[in-house]
Amino acid sequence: MRQVRRATACFVESNPNEFIANNVRAIPRSGIRDFFDIVQGMKDVISLGVGEPDFVTPWHIREAAIYALERGRTSYTSNLGLLKLREAIAASVERNFQVGYDPSNEILIAVGVSEAMDLAFRAIINPGDEVIYHEPCYVSYAPGISLAHGVPVAVSCRAENNFSVTAEAIAQVITPRSKALVLNFPTNPTGGTMARGELEKIAALARRHNLLVITDEIYSELTFEGEHTSIAALPGMKGRTIFLHGFSKAYAMTGFRIGYACAPAGITEAMMRIHQYSMLCASNISQEAALEAIQHGETDTAEMREQYRLRRNFIVNAFNQMGIPCHLPRGSFYAFPGIRPTGLSSKDFAVRLLETEKVACVPGSAFGPSGEGYLRCCFATSMDRIEIACERMDRFIRSLK
């Protein structure tokens, strides 16, 4: 009788980390989230850290969402988003930013500006393309560029320029591989804004070097001094600009996750192709709420902006009196005081402040190397809590002397 050999299965112990893509493995964790992991579980902490309005979404906007739900608006929408919302956005952008877009093929509704930015990167970046951005900046820009297989190129913004970016600094990093420039004004985390004259120089630079500009203007309604200018409105720029905006900051709608992109039809189509295979569409109910906000929410925005202005004036004055110099942010709801006089790194300062006085702020280093020596303090919280936080911070700084 013939003997049958049995095959012995050979199993190799797997390491799950081996399956992670190289470009993902190289992406650091968000410095903001890393820091707030420390905050979790602590009691009686006053947070000046999370970049979110402390106001509840205005009632008429919430009511629009409720009414949409009651009417059964729970289906998918077009990949581009509700046409009536795109039409309202087109009217608003033309009125407030002086740029005209066709709602039928030049506007895309996204799941927050974060998704819109990701779509923009993935739609335009080829492997190895260089994308210029300014820092300190929002934490997702450089990782987003890298995840799209691009090469992030940082340009530093300095306190002596009120954290604006200069055309001269951008020109110094342009190479034949430069594809796009990312702008975010007013800026998270510094509150920096841009003068029209400097934007015109940057626009001329973009035209000369054939750069696409991605402009994130989510904080534009929260401009306190001066006139906000969109680079998309400057001569020759609409055709080479992706204009990003949303509802989270101006209307206190962070949880609704609604943003939008306005761009030439070909670029909008490319972004939509990615969007249709990932998110498909933004929430129908949230889009209905956004329509109410953009049509009837200007008064709410103005009232919130005035409260932010009062808080800004108080906190900036308090920081300067403490001996940590702070420029006056002209937009957003962030103060960015310099803590170098204390002799501590930004992370050491933030951790020790949290441990000893239970005040949570974000180390400036979370926003790129240019943010080292600073602290991001969000004043989108109530004045009474800001006052207590400043008292605690002053006590902490005096304890260091």
Side-chain angles (χ1 to χ4, degrees), residues 8 60 74 82 147 173 209 222 246 324:
T8 303
H60 66 101
T74 56
L82 290 172
L147 286 170
V173 300
H209 293 276
L222 303 182
I324 51 174

Side-chain angles (χ1 to χ4, degrees), residues 248-259:
S248 293
K249 312 302 182 180
Y251 304 104
M253 293 177 64
T254 52
F256 285 84
R257 307 311 304 131
I258 293 290

Side-chain angles (χ1 to χ4, degrees), residues 147-166:
L147 286 170
H149 302 283
V151 179
V153 179
V155 174
S156 294
C157 297
R158 303 187 181 282
E160 53 265 33
N161 295 325
N162 292 317
F163 292 105
S164 62
V165 67
T166 65

Side-chain angles (χ1 to χ4, degrees), residues 8 37 47 61 120 175 180 202 268 292 348 363:
T8 303
D37 282 347
S47 178
I61 299 173
T175 75
I202 293 171
T268 302
E292 171 65 22
D348 285 344

